[in-house]
Amino acid sequence: GAGVSQSPRYKVAKRGQDVALRCDPISGHVSLFWYQQALGQGPEFLTYFQNEAQLDKSGLPSDRFFAERPEGSVSTLKIQRTQQEDSAVYLCASSPWTSGPFKNIQYFGAGTRLSVL
Amino acid sequence: EDKVVQSPLSLVVHEGDTVTLNCSYEVTNFRSLLWYKQEKKAPTFLFMLTSSGIEKKSGRLSSILDKKELFSILNITATQTGDSAVYLCAVEEGGSSNTGKLIFGQGTTLQVKP
């Protein structure tokens, strides 16, 4: 595709519900990142995939957060038993390279705005 | 703890003004510094800086990195209303994980008035 696509754009959940957020990276991009952006703050790293392998999940705030990328393309971020503090914009980014000086130019999707009531 | 700090947090100027946005960082294993522009949609890439003293330029925007003093600036000359956005500074942390994850500042909100 032309860019990173995320869906849904907006999600309202009742506290305690499970949610699933989808990311379609740019075709052929090997690296995929998830970030969480609270209102008025910069994005914070959640997790990283290289193809289907989840190489870094150090930023996931709790075991209620789970991410997968089973075929090395589309990724899903799942949040179980949502809490109000989970309300944020969840950004997905992809980059084509796994090494070299340009690996860190990440191309972002528009994000999913999650509101937990 | 690694951190990136941007200043000012917000700025209001008039069209035609020149603005300078600041980004300082304390990162254990610095690899590069990136600037993004975020409107009400996806952050879009502006610059990547890896070497001190070399200015990157794109139209009315320019940026430079000082690795000795651990900061970068983003300049915008002859501002236009379309420059209104949040400008994000991010540093790639190049530790043992080597994933390319970015540490972001909190952003500078720029509003350009007609």
Side-chain angles (χ1 to χ4, degrees):
Chain A
V4 178
S5 177
Q6 293 188 244
S7 61
R9 286 296 312 277
Y10 304 92
K11 176 69 179 178
V12 178
K14 291 183 179 179
R15 191 170 53 185
Q17 271 186 324
D18 297 349
V19 298
L21 313 180
R22 177 187 169 102
C23 173
D24 273 282
I26 294 172
S27 179
H29 277 198
V30 170
S31 297
L32 185 145
F33 301 79
W34 283 98
Y35 292 86
Q36 180 190 59
Q37 186 174 23
L39 189 64
Q41 301 296 316
E44 290 192 4
F45 171 79
L46 293 177
T47 188
Y48 164 71
F49 289 87
Q50 182 177 313
N51 293 307
E52 70 279 2
Q54 189 176 19
L55 299 186
D56 188 343
K57 52 182 181 180
S58 61
L60 295 177
S62 78
D63 59 7
R64 297 185 295 104
F65 287 70
F66 173 77
E68 60 183 6
R69 194 186 185 197
E71 297 178 359
S73 175
V74 171
S75 178
T76 303
L77 176 67
K78 298 179 179 178
I79 309 173
Q80 297 176 324
R81 304 182 303 281
T82 52
Q83 304 294 316
Q84 281 189 318
E85 61 263 29
D86 300 334
S87 296
V89 174
Y90 290 85
L91 294 167
C92 176
S94 70
S95 68
W97 299 280
T98 56
S99 61
F102 302 106
K103 66 180 285 187
N104 45 10
I105 300 180
Q106 298 175 24
Y107 299 90
F108 282 83
T112 294
R113 182 177 296 277
L114 173 65
S115 298
V116 181
L117 306 179
Chain B
E1 182 183 341
D2 294 340
K3 63 179 180 181
V4 176
V5 178
Q6 293 185 243
S7 64
L9 293 182
S10 65
L11 192 54
V12 181
V13 300
H14 288 92
E15 274 192 317
D17 288 350
T18 294
V19 298
T20 298
L21 310 183
N22 303 291
C23 176
S24 63
Y25 60 91
E26 293 177 28
V27 176
T28 307
N29 294 294
F30 175 91
R31 290 197 59 173
S32 65
L33 185 144
L34 295 90
W35 285 95
Y36 285 85
K37 177 183 181 181
Q38 185 176 30
E39 298 167 273
K40 292 188 184 299
K41 48 187 178 180
T44 54
F45 170 77
L46 295 175
F47 298 111
M48 182 180 78
L49 303 146
T50 56
S51 301
S52 276
I54 299 175
E55 184 183 54
K56 293 284 183 84
K57 195 169 172 66
S58 176
R60 295 177 294 103
L61 278 67
S62 64
S63 183
I64 198 162
L65 173 68
D66 185 328
K67 291 170 74 173
K68 181 179 177 184
E69 299 298 329
L70 307 182
F71 78 91
S72 174
I73 60 172
L74 175 68
N75 278 320
I76 309 175
T77 60
T79 51
Q80 302 172 358
T81 55
D83 295 327
S84 297
V86 175
Y87 290 84
L88 294 167
C89 172
V91 171
E92 184 198 15
E93 188 269 333
S96 58
S97 65
N98 202 31
T99 63
K101 71 180 181 185
L102 299 176
I103 302 167
F104 282 88
Q106 65 270 61
T108 293
T109 301
L110 173 65
Q111 182 183 359
V112 181
K113 293 187 172 182

